[in-house]
């Protein structure tokens, strides 16, 4: 397994990631893929996809030559806001997804570790995320703390972790 940083200018890479992202959106929304991304609206779908990843850092997990998942993150601030207020300067892990066929093999944990490692390089001391998929055991196994707060837009639980001590 290797990590490859998403290059928004690499059309082939974007096209390879698009189906994985669409499956992710379908799973988290619990809607039919074709209803979210109508097949006859490719240009609009692709434009939305590109806007979605713009301004964030995304690493793709490549296993046996296939895209097995991705993790997306940024530093919360004026240029890029996260999903919850009060986290300016924190790392925000905005998306993480593992293909269903590859779950249970440590890819999710590896992707979280990769995001944490990259955010630490940027000087981030704390990371937060919102979980709308009820992955409580997963986040707790990685030492994230359930804050008891709910993100107001999508209703996800907010988890925090301190990664760099002062």
């Amino acid at each position: 397994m290797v990590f490859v940083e998403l290059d928004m200018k690499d059309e082939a890479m974007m096209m390879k990631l698009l189906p994985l992202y669409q499956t992710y959106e379908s799973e988290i929304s619990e809607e039919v893929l074709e209803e979210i991304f109508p097949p006859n609206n490719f240009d609009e779908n692709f434009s939305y996809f590109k806007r979605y990843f713009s301004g964030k850092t995304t690493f793709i997990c490549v296993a046996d030559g296939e895209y097995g998942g991705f993790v997306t993150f940024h530093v919360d601030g004026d240029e890029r806001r996260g999903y919850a207020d009060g986290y300016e300067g924190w790392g925000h892990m905005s998306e993480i997804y593992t293909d269903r066929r590859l779950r249970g093999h440590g890819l999710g944990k590896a992707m979280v570790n990769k995001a944490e490692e990259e955010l630490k390089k940027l000087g981030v001391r704390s990371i937060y995320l919102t979980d709308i998929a009820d992955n409580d055991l997963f986040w707790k196994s990685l030492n994230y703390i359930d804050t008891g707060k709910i993100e107001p837009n999508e209703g996800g639980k907010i988890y925090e972790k301190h990664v760099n001590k002062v």
Side-chain angles (χ1 to χ4, degrees):
M1 157 180 44
V2 296
F3 290 99
V4 179
E5 187 170 356
L6 176 61
D7 179 352
M8 298 285 293
K9 295 176 185 163
D10 185 334
E11 202 78 13
M13 180 181 252
M14 296 289 287
M15 292 300 293
K16 193 170 179 181
L17 181 59
L18 179 62
L20 191 64
Y21 169 73
Q22 289 176 322
T23 301
Y24 159 76
E25 282 290 339
S26 177
E27 282 184 26
I28 64 167
S29 68
E30 298 178 353
E31 292 184 33
V32 177
L33 182 65
E34 292 75 20
E35 290 176 12
I36 304 170
F37 299 103
N40 57 342
N41 287 346
F42 177 78
D43 290 341
E44 186 178 316
N45 295 340
F46 193 68
S47 178
Y48 173 82
F49 166 68
K50 289 192 329 189
R51 278 191 316 273
Y52 186 82
F53 284 99
S54 179
K56 300 176 185 177
T57 301
T58 299
F59 278 92
I60 302 163
C61 181
V62 182
D64 297 325
E66 296 295 319
Y67 285 10
F70 61 88
V71 61
T72 302
F73 55 90
H74 65 275
V75 177
D76 200 341
D78 291 337
E79 291 180 31
R80 186 78 183 164
R81 305 296 299 164
Y83 300 145
D85 292 331
Y87 288 96
E88 189 165 327
W90 286 53
H92 178 223
M93 198 172 330
S94 54
E95 312 299 340
I96 180 168
Y97 178 72
T98 303
D99 185 305
R100 280 185 186 271
R101 298 168 295 162
L102 302 173
R103 291 180 188 162
H105 299 283
L107 266 63
K109 180 179 180 179
M111 288 189 289
V112 169
N113 289 338
K114 178 65 175 172
E116 290 176 358
E117 175 186 309
E118 295 298 320
L119 285 163
K120 285 182 197 177
K121 289 178 188 175
L122 296 173
V124 165
R125 292 188 181 145
S126 300
I127 299 171
Y128 82 101
L129 60 97
T130 57
D131 177 17
I132 61 173
D134 294 324
N135 290 312
D136 192 59
L137 292 176
F138 176 73
W139 294 115
K140 286 182 178 179
S141 76
L142 296 170
N143 299 314
Y144 280 80
I145 298 165
D146 181 349
T147 64
K149 301 178 207 170
I150 302 296
E151 183 272 325
N153 296 319
E154 294 181 332
K157 288 182 177 181
I158 298 176
Y159 289 83
E160 298 176 354
K161 181 176 183 179
H162 302 289
V163 292
N164 275 337
K165 304 295 182 211
V166 179

